[in-house]
Amino acid sequence: MQPALRIMQCTLDMNHGREAVTIDNAVVDALAEESLGPGDKSAPPAAWGRTVREYLSGAPELARWQTPLLTLDRERLDANLALMAEWTAAAGVALAPHGKTTMAPQLWREQLTAGAWAITLATGWQAQLARSFGVGRIMLANALVDPIGLSWVAAESARDAGFEFFCWADSVATVELMDKILRDAPAAPPVRVLVELGGAHGRTGARTRAQAHEVAAAIGHSERLVLAGVAGYEGALAHDRSAAGIAAVRGYLGELAALHTDLVTAGAYRGPAVVTAGGSAYPELVVGELARLADDTTTVVLRSGAYFIHDDGFYAGISPLAAPAVNPGLRAAMHGWARVVSRPEPELALLDGGKRDFPFDEGLPVPQLVVGGTLPAGAEVTALNDQHTFLRLPGADAAELPVGSIVRLGLSHPCTAFDKWRRIPVIDSAAAANPRVVDLIRTYF
């Protein structure tokens, strides 16, 4: 597999015969002119007052940064990006990665450059942020019934005919409210709406195909909305790869495919349609059930968000594309770094990072190595406080992991890692003896 090409361009050639997606490179590039300061958690004081560009020009060492710290691995980012681009292209589906995972326009640009069809987001404000960076096609994987947000969509669509925006609806009441809001909004092209199909005990979404048909009909009757496809999220129906979980996901995706086929047969679409599903846990099932629907009038869109960063926890265990099961496979491109600040008991070390710094909702951090030292056998993180990690060391003594030691941590769930950091250093490789900082990623949460 060839490494991902890090081409920074404004207009990108997209697959499936769809027009190019744009992003404003000038606005993204301007992030390099921001000044570093105490507001950038764990950045070294020596960097304060310097622009990002100035700071990076000195090829700084990671060792100069303070702890706790979250880093990204450039080598693995490139590999994950290339793998997913090749995999989706081979499967014949488009990719609209969920931008809420990182809320980082610099990383969105890399995903678009690698061939992403759109950026997916979850709230009106997130869509507005993406648009401020010039993202030309946005999938809002949610209903939009906030009057201010929906009116903004209408105004932005009227201002720029090239802007493509999609959102979802799962009830007639949602459609009626959207229609009412848009009556008072600026005159604009109809808003593209996908019917969301859910499942029993799932999240949002019409609970039956019959209800989904009612939603589609309501969209069709509106002059301010246009039916643009069907959507759903299978990850809410299972959380493992048990036989029951796989069957539930496959059954749901089959219903989503049948709904789209029904709407095609009924002539419900006035133009091209989108069929979209998919997180990062079951992408092969989405492809297996939905890719056959792709044709000249239908684009099948996978919305995986975690693949770019991946992890050493939940997704490492559930993704069918994870290494080492797949070679080369997705590998974690994020790590935590924390320092031992206390050894109050022979078999306990307290680190200076905690819930304010590292994700914990899909599993606790995993100790991987000690910088310049040896990780005691059996070391395990058993709890996190706001600013402390409890590292248990069975049979160890203070000499094995003295105060001041730095521990690299494997993390689980990128979606709740990035939101704790305003600026994240990207290093050349977490496996390097002396990693160098090669970029700084700005987040917006």
Side-chain angles (χ1 to χ4, degrees), residues 358-413:
F358 306 131
F360 56 92
D361 60 316
E362 291 284 5
L364 294 174
V366 177
Q368 295 180 326
L369 60 80
V370 175
V371 177
T374 302
L375 183 68
E380 179 185 12
V381 172
T382 57
L384 264 65
N385 287 164
D386 284 355
Q387 303 290 178
H388 290 97
T389 293
F390 287 73
L391 181 62
R392 296 290 173 181
L393 307 165
D397 57 44
E400 290 188 76
L401 193 65
V403 169
S405 302
I406 297 176
V407 180
R408 193 186 81 190
L409 301 166
L411 305 175
S412 179
H413 203 198

Side-chain angles (χ1 to χ4, degrees), residues 252-432:
Y252 165 74
L253 292 170
E255 284 291 293
L256 192 64
L259 173 61
H260 171 68
T261 300
D262 289 347
L263 294 173
V264 170
T265 302
Y269 297 123
R270 290 190 243 165
V274 171
V275 177
T276 179
S280 299
Y282 308 102
E284 89 290 7
L285 300 184
V286 174
V287 166
E289 297 294 332
L290 302 184
R292 60 185 171 80
L293 301 175
D295 57 27
D296 292 341
T297 61
T298 300
T299 301
V300 176
V301 178
L302 186 67
R303 302 191 314 278
S304 303
Y307 75 92
F308 196 8
I309 311 303
H310 199 53
D311 71 7
D312 280 311
F314 176 71
Y315 288 111
I318 200 170
S319 171
L321 303 178
V326 174
N327 188 14
L330 299 175
R331 295 181 298 165
M334 66 175 180
H335 297 92
W337 307 78
R339 195 180 309 264
V340 177
V341 292
S342 176
R343 290 298 312 272
E345 301 170 11
E347 297 186 350
L348 175 64
L350 277 298
L351 312 183
D352 62 358
K355 292 180 179 179
R356 305 292 178 116
D357 312 297
F358 306 131
F360 56 92
D361 60 316
E362 291 284 5
L364 294 174
V366 177
Q368 295 180 326
L369 60 80
V370 175
V371 177
T374 302
L375 183 68
E380 179 185 12
V381 172
T382 57
L384 264 65
N385 287 164
D386 284 355
Q387 303 290 178
H388 290 97
T389 293
F390 287 73
L391 181 62
R392 296 290 173 181
L393 307 165
D397 57 44
E400 290 188 76
L401 193 65
V403 169
S405 302
I406 297 176
V407 180
R408 193 186 81 190
L409 301 166
L411 305 175
S412 179
H413 203 198
C415 295
T416 50
F418 277 62
D419 62 345
K420 297 167 178 58
W421 296 85
R422 177 187 175 193
R423 214 179 298 271
I424 305 171
V426 181
I427 55 179
D428 49 4
S429 173

